[in-house]
Amino acid sequence: MTRILDLADIQGNVLRPYGRMGFPKARFIFLHIADAAAGRDFVWKLLPKITTSTRWESKEAYPGEVIQRRPEVTFNLAFTFYGLVALDLPTATLAQMPAEFIDGMAERANILGDLRGGNAQQAWDPIWQNSTGDAKVHVMVSLNAQMHHDGTPIAALATATAHVMALAEASGGKVRVLPGHGPDNALYQDSGALLEAAADGKLLPTAKEHFGFTDGFGDPVFDGQYPAAEISAEAVGGGKILPDQSWGPLATGEFLLGHPDEAQEIPGGLLPPEFARNGTFMAYRKLQENVGAFQDYIARTAVLYDRVMGLGDVEAAREILMAKIAGRWSDGVPLMAAPTFTEWRAFQVREAAATKAGDKATLAAIERSYVDFKYRADPAGLRCPVGAHMRRANTRDMLDPSANSTHPKDWNGSVLNNRRRVLRRGLPYGPTDRSVALNGEQGIIFLALCASLFRQFEFVQQQWMQYGLDFNLGNDTCPLVGNHGEAAKFVIAADPAGDKPPFICDRPPQFVETRGGDYFFIPSMTALRMIAMGTVDPT
């Protein structure tokens, strides 16, 4: 039975990936609270604007569910631990917060791999370098907006921004907007989908990021996230793999506090319980993409790969290298569905033909193949390398201790992966045209939402992105987002039955670098009202 959630109590950015739902422009405003009463007043005045998870004008809804109009701009609110301290929450409530949330991201730099060359935050934006004392980040207001066909955000985004600024200004300096984003020291961090021109010249948002990969596949699906009529289909590729190899939604408590998790427990903690219920935690990370270094390395290595493999096609070698590093081809087709360049091109031809013919059945099967795959049949990584980014980020059934058993009754599905999933939100930042800059201010604003930052986000970042032991890869890090030292390498395995050797991508440079961020608590609407009214009572 599908869990029924109180959607009006859950902030909208938890259940909705806004960027894929017609809101390709985002703005993040960070504030400091110097006076608790003024901070509570700021929250109270912003409350009517907060976007919840209530469904928008949809026929597919829970029985008796209230439907709201689709907004032009979404508003959401989150707090750092010291933001909650600044709001004068009771010590008994604050003391129950998770240790990693209390520490904050900067203090966890060593765990996350954000220490490079012995220097913490050496290239972080000023807002994060200076996040201390009266410049400490306390509050994040996130805005997501629709856009015009010329690629500019609708006017409502500027209006929403002005509203937040005016509320802060009205406090008389007791609530302040913090500058310090990027080289221009901007008052806020903008991000937005990369764009492409349609046949009529209109600009349309894409799922591309600056390296050229298509992103946004396989986001976790949990119980209650979709209506009962949709949950089974949505769980395919995004939920958990059951022992019988079917798909099912993950437990709600992996992503929302106050609900049973995959251990069938409701973890104790925050008091009062209604303060925690329907809230969650979030890691906000600004990740700089060194596009020029990436393109140069791929181009140079492709020449060698082409020669070693005897392809006679450097462009094909380039596409293969990118796919092996990511786990998907540049258009998002997974290597598990099309392991070779020839099969990928055939996949594209088949998809184009089905689209032209309006063949809905074939298109539905093709769409499903983007997410519906497992790694049991590829233990050595001959199709998709064991160390590929996608295989590290979501191991699916790869770490099933009974994976090598020939008896299906012994299989455990994705049980070891189910407690490591995170909801991925966020959008690229920088130029919306990938051809504009190669080494400028560009990358991804990465938002990871989960019930336990330590067990989910930090574990994946530390053990699977910055380490390789779980995959029998020793100290090898993720070839895309991992730290790359002098001895860094990425191995593309070879079929023992074939006549080609393994290929080693040797000494890749640093492709991704952290530019700042912090840990936030995203309260429920109930908790926001309690904060605004000063009625958080743990007794």
Side-chain angles (χ1 to χ4, degrees):
M1 180 177 177
T2 301
R3 181 174 293 273
I4 303 297
L5 299 179
D6 184 358
L7 300 181
D9 194 43
I10 304 168
Q11 289 203 54
N13 55 343
V14 178
L15 266 64
R16 291 190 178 103
Y18 290 139
R20 301 200 296 272
M21 299 183 72
F23 297 84
K25 299 292 183 179
R27 178 165 292 168
F28 302 93
I29 304 171
F30 298 91
L31 304 101
H32 174 84
I33 298 171
D35 177 81
R40 290 192 294 268
D41 186 61
F42 175 85
V43 174
W44 179 257
K45 290 177 179 176
L46 201 58
L47 264 174
K49 296 284 189 180
I50 302 300
T51 306
T52 71
S53 292
T54 303
R55 306 210 185 273
W56 297 328
E57 302 167 336
S58 170
K59 296 180 180 179
E60 296 294 334
Y62 292 156
E65 184 183 351
V66 175
I67 306 298
Q68 290 188 341
R69 289 186 60 188
R70 183 185 186 88
E72 290 185 312
V73 176
T74 65
F75 282 75
N76 290 108
L77 199 56
F79 305 90
T80 63
F81 174 76
Y82 286 98
L84 298 178
V85 172
L87 287 163
D88 205 19
L89 262 65
T91 301
T93 298
L94 295 171
Q96 297 298 320
M97 289 290 179
E100 67 275 13
F101 176 62
I102 294 173
D103 286 346
M105 186 180 292
E107 294 298 320
R108 314 285 284 189
N110 197 36
I111 291 174
L112 299 174
D114 291 339
L115 291 176
R116 298 190 63 246
N119 243 335
Q121 305 98 39
Q122 59 181 347
W124 284 28
D125 282 358
I127 187 173
W128 304 112
Q129 288 189 38
N130 303 327
S131 184
T132 185
D134 62 2
K136 188 77 171 175
V137 172
H138 288 158
V139 184
M140 183 181 84
V141 178
S142 57
L143 308 172
N144 283 76
Q146 300 176 40
M147 77 171 199
H148 297 298
H149 288 304
D150 65 356
T152 59
I154 60 174
L157 178 59
T159 302
T161 303
H163 178 70
V164 175
M165 299 291 186
L167 288 180
E169 183 69 23
S171 74
K174 296 176 181 178
V175 177
R176 293 184 294 104
V177 175
L178 297 172
H181 299 279
D184 298 328
N185 211 36
L187 274 175
Y188 41 74
Q189 176 67 59
D190 276 347
S191 65
L194 301 188
L195 308 176
E196 67 178 9
D200 59 3
K202 293 179 180 179
L203 292 177
L204 301 175
T206 73
K208 289 286 187 181
E209 51 72 57
H210 291 287
F211 287 144
F213 297 109
T214 302
D215 200 5
F217 296 99
D219 208 34
V221 174
F222 61 89
D223 198 12
Q225 189 176 4
Y226 295 92
E230 302 175 13
I231 191 68
S232 294
E234 294 290 345
V236 173
K240 59 186 174 184
I241 303 171
L242 302 172
D244 67 0
Q245 298 301 286
S246 65
W247 293 91
L250 291 153
T252 309
E254 293 297 314
F255 308 100
L256 283 175
L257 301 173
H259 298 268
D261 58 23
E262 282 293 324
Q264 301 180 37
E265 298 174 344
I266 300 178
L270 300 185
L271 295 173
E274 58 268 26
F275 179 76
R277 184 175 173 82
N278 290 330
T280 192
F281 292 99
M282 176 183 69
Y284 170 100
R285 287 170 72 75
K286 181 177 181 179
L287 303 177
Q288 177 85 4
E289 293 183 324
N290 301 321
V291 177
F294 178 79
Q295 292 184 351
D296 179 66
Y297 181 78
I298 292 295
R300 287 187 289 105
T301 309
V303 173
L304 179 60
Y305 186 86
D306 175 59
R307 187 161 65 243
V308 170
M309 298 299 166
L311 299 177
D313 187 342
V314 174
E315 181 56 30
R318 178 184 175 279
E319 290 286 355
I320 292 169
L321 283 175
M322 287 184 63
K324 295 292 186 180
I325 286 172
R328 292 182 184 273
W329 296 95
S330 56
D331 61 356
V333 176
L335 284 170
M336 295 304 293
T340 68
F341 183 81
T342 301
E343 288 172 290
W344 174 47
R345 289 304 195 201
F347 187 104
Q348 292 178 315
V349 170
R350 189 166 66 254
E351 185 172 22
T355 301
K356 183 176 181 180
D359 186 345
K360 294 182 178 180
T362 299
L363 285 174
I366 289 173
E367 181 179 355
R368 180 169 174 140
S369 68
Y370 276 82
V371 295
D372 187 9
F373 57 89
K374 306 176 181 73
Y375 295 124
R376 181 178 304 280
D378 188 33
L382 301 182
R383 296 165 70 94
C384 177
V386 173
H389 172 73
M390 185 176 74
R391 203 156 169 167
R392 288 171 178 264
N394 178 8
T395 63
R396 298 181 182 243
D397 59 347
M398 180 169 69
L399 299 180
D400 181 352
S402 301
N404 294 326
S405 173
T406 58
H407 302 289
K409 65 180 180 62
D410 294 333
W411 296 347
N412 297 293
S414 59
V415 64
L416 293 183
N417 185 52
N418 297 341
R419 309 216 68 196
R420 312 298 183 192
R421 303 298 303 282
V422 298
L423 294 169
R424 294 176 295 118
R425 303 289 183 255
L427 287 163
Y429 70 89
T432 56
D433 182 348
R434 288 183 54 240
S435 66
V436 170
L438 294 181
N439 294 300
E441 177 76 357
Q442 60 193 359
I444 290 177
I445 299 299
F446 178 72
L447 310 177
L449 281 64
C450 52
S452 171
L453 290 165
F454 174 74
R455 173 172 52 81
Q456 291 163 271
F457 167 70
E458 289 192 341
F459 182 94
V460 172
Q461 179 69 17
Q462 181 191 46
Q463 295 296 319
W464 290 350
M465 294 298 162
Q466 303 291 5
Y467 202 38
L469 197 58
D470 281 357
F471 316 117
N472 295 318
L473 297 177
N475 290 328
D476 288 358
T477 64
C478 175
L480 193 61
V481 304
N483 285 342
H484 298 160
E486 287 296 320
K489 68 181 185 302
F490 171 62
V491 179
I492 300 174
D495 187 347
D499 59 354
K500 302 298 182 184
F503 186 84
I504 299 176
C505 298
D506 190 34
R507 292 191 293 264
Q510 193 64 35
F511 297 141
V512 176
E513 298 181 64
T514 307
R515 288 291 183 262
D518 211 337
Y519 290 157
F520 291 84
F521 174 57
I522 303 177
S524 67
M525 296 303 294
T526 296
L528 283 175
R529 295 185 190 99
M530 294 170 71
I531 290 171
M533 294 187 292
T535 59
V536 179
D537 184 359
T539 60

